[in-house]
Amino acid sequence: MIYLDNASTTKIRSEVFETMKPWLTEKYGNPSSVHSLGEEAAEAVERSREIIAKKINAKASEIIFTSCATESNNIVINGANGAGRKLFISPIEHASVNNPAKRLKARFLKADTEGFVDTEIEKNSFLSVIYANNEIGTIQDVEKISDICSDKNVWFHSDAAQANGKVMIRAGLFDFLSLSAHKIHGPKGIGALYVKEGIKLEPLMMGGGQQKGLRPGTENVASIVGFAKAFELMDEEYCEKVSELRDRLIKKVLEIPGAALTGPVDKKKRLCNIASFAFDVDGEKLVKLLDSRGICASTGSACSEGNVEVSHVLKAIGLREKLARGSLRLSPGIFNTKQEIDEAVEAIHEAVESLRIV
Ligand code: PLP
């Protein structure tokens, strides 16, 4: 199998798994318990909070653990709405921002053809812009957006589920950040939320007093420890290696007749592990055909009840519908080799040609 779907999820690193194990077996205390087994678990949670905070240049007290980035996004969107802020949302958000924002009648902004978002926002409002897009890899100019938000007293949230660990994050630029572990070789079902000191949000769930009441519920100690370990292991070398594979993919796939690149042309503005394309063939069929050849990839189009739904991200960047139906996302990772990339490109070429004939 050639796994080129690391933007969907990643294989857990063995070091991460080993770090988690004791917290699933003999060290099973509840961090809220006052006995030593509980205290030991609470200390592990706090150490992990510090590691994650340091990685994004935040204070440990500004990090809340959640069950996933989806939950972090929902806490922020609903919380900002509850605080009376008008919601402004980029048009290329992940469903976990897009859907709660739609329900709360948010105002959607525009994006250019590479996915860079415009920031026509009102004073004293709330803005959510995805740090690095999961379909086309666009890394936003968050410093510029942060300046605009500061000038207008706007709360700035960024969904950094794809960016965390791959981009140097300065939490001070934001009011809220959503993070996820399973995109960086950590466990699934654990996320975090950065909330700038001094900002108070209403919780989504009511319960005990854990994590200042903003996210009640017994902490998932093993996964929290695994998240911190996975984050710790992300370094510059990761992006150096993976971006080489990404660039090899981009160069070779674009040699296939009819292939178009989606997202930024400037590689510095594209996430290190996302190569995204569009073809004039059905994306879902393409992904299934590749799967039959042992290659795991993704498409932005999804078939529901016989209709192919075109990704809202590809629509927002103005991609023609025919091409948007044929999107292909390849996201390499550290366990891939150059040879795998070459084999995958060959298979993609053949698959695209065969789908054109049908
Ligand atoms: N935000 C982005 C940009 C993502 O790519 C994803 C995962 O696909 C999520 C949020 C959701 O993350 P989680 O699976 O941790 O809920």
Side-chain angles (χ1 to χ4, degrees):
M1 182 183 77
I2 301 178
Y3 188 76
L4 292 175
D5 203 17
N6 287 276
S8 288
T9 197
T10 55
K11 177 175 164 178
I12 197 160
R13 289 196 213 233
S14 53
E15 302 98 302
V16 172
F17 184 52
E18 290 305 323
T19 309
M20 289 171 69
K21 263 193 200 161
W23 303 100
L24 290 164
T25 50
E26 70 269 24
K27 298 183 180 192
Y28 52 82
N30 183 328
S32 297
S33 298
V34 289
H35 49 66
S36 50
L37 204 62
E39 270 179 11
E40 192 183 24
E43 278 163 24
V45 168
E46 293 320 309
R47 269 198 309 276
S48 304
R49 211 187 296 281
E50 271 163 29
I51 291 170
I52 290 170
K54 201 164 167 212
K55 278 290 210 176
I56 63 166
N57 298 292
K59 293 181 191 157
S61 57
E62 294 173 313
I63 303 294
I64 299 286
F65 289 111
T66 63
S67 64
C68 55
T70 295
E71 187 192 336
S72 304
N73 287 337
N74 274 269
I75 292 175
V76 174
I77 304 294
N78 285 284
N81 182 64
R85 297 252 168 173
K86 197 165 172 179
L87 308 179
F88 288 84
I89 310 287
S90 101
I92 60 159
E93 294 301 301
H94 184 266
S96 54
V97 170
N98 208 38
N99 288 336
K102 266 200 227 160
R103 180 192 259 185
L104 296 170
K105 311 260 182 292
R107 194 83 61 83
F108 283 83
L109 300 169
K110 293 205 167 67
D112 69 14
T113 53
E114 292 192 330
F116 294 102
V117 173
D118 103 308
T119 43
E120 262 194 49
I121 43 174
E122 291 174 18
K123 276 188 183 162
N124 308 320
S125 62
F126 166 90
L127 172 65
S128 188
V129 178
I130 189 167
Y131 203 130
N133 183 267
N134 48 304
E135 290 186 45
I136 56 173
T138 313
I139 301 174
Q140 300 293 328
D141 186 346
V142 291
E143 288 191 14
K144 190 175 116 196
I145 300 174
S146 172
D147 281 348
I148 294 168
C149 288
S150 299
D151 286 348
K152 296 194 168 183
N153 188 34
V154 167
W155 276 355
F156 181 24
H157 166 246
S158 191
D159 172 0
Q162 293 287 343
N164 61 207
K166 299 167 205 151
V167 170
M168 205 279 284
I169 295 178
R170 281 172 40 216
L173 295 174
F174 307 88
D175 295 294
F176 314 99
L177 279 164
S178 302
L179 312 172
S180 182
H182 73 102
K183 315 285 186 187
I184 51 170
H185 305 280
K188 293 172 184 55
I190 185 75
L193 174 63
Y194 156 84
V195 181
K196 181 172 262 154
E197 195 168 59
I199 297 185
K200 260 197 97 56
L201 288 182
E202 282 300 312
L204 261 191
M205 297 191 293
M206 305 302 285
Q210 295 99 336
Q211 303 199 87
K212 301 180 215 157
L214 179 54
R215 208 306 186 151
T218 304
E219 294 88 343
N220 182 348
V221 182
S223 295
I224 287 171
V225 168
F227 185 4
K229 185 71 183 172
F231 214 154
E232 225 174 9
L233 292 172
M234 291 298 286
D235 55 16
E236 275 176 24
E237 242 173 72
Y238 174 96
C239 267
E240 269 166 36
K241 181 180 175 203
V242 174
S243 59
E244 232 180 83
L245 299 173
R246 174 203 66 184
D247 296 346
R248 192 175 184 93
L249 269 171
I250 292 179
K251 181 174 175 295
K252 291 188 173 251
V253 170
L254 290 180
E255 285 166 9
I256 301 172
L261 185 73
T262 56
V265 173
D266 181 348
K267 287 168 187 152
K268 289 198 279 312
K269 296 182 177 172
R270 175 183 279 274
L271 198 63
C272 62
N273 68 337
I274 294 188
S276 50
F277 308 93
F279 295 91
D280 54 353
V281 298
D282 182 307
E284 205 172 344
K285 284 189 184 149
L286 177 58
V287 166
K288 285 190 176 147
L289 198 52
L290 290 174
D291 183 44
S292 72
R293 303 265 315 252
I295 293 159
C296 299
S298 268
T299 178
S301 60
C303 194
S304 74
E305 292 168 4
N307 296 315
V308 177
E309 276 207 27
V310 172
S311 134
H312 67 280
V313 173
L314 300 178
K315 263 192 205 165
I317 62 168
L319 200 67
R320 272 191 297 121
E321 188 164 334
K322 183 149 192 236
L323 280 178
R325 286 173 190 276
S327 68
L328 181 71
R329 182 190 67 190
L330 303 168
S331 43
I334 34 163
F335 300 117
N336 292 121
T337 62
K338 285 181 188 165
Q339 195 188 333
E340 284 184 336
I341 299 296
D342 296 351
E343 277 175 39
V345 175
E346 214 170 287
I348 294 164
H349 195 160
E350 281 170 23
V352 168
E353 294 295 341
S354 72
L355 286 172
R356 281 196 186 123
I357 293 164
V358 176

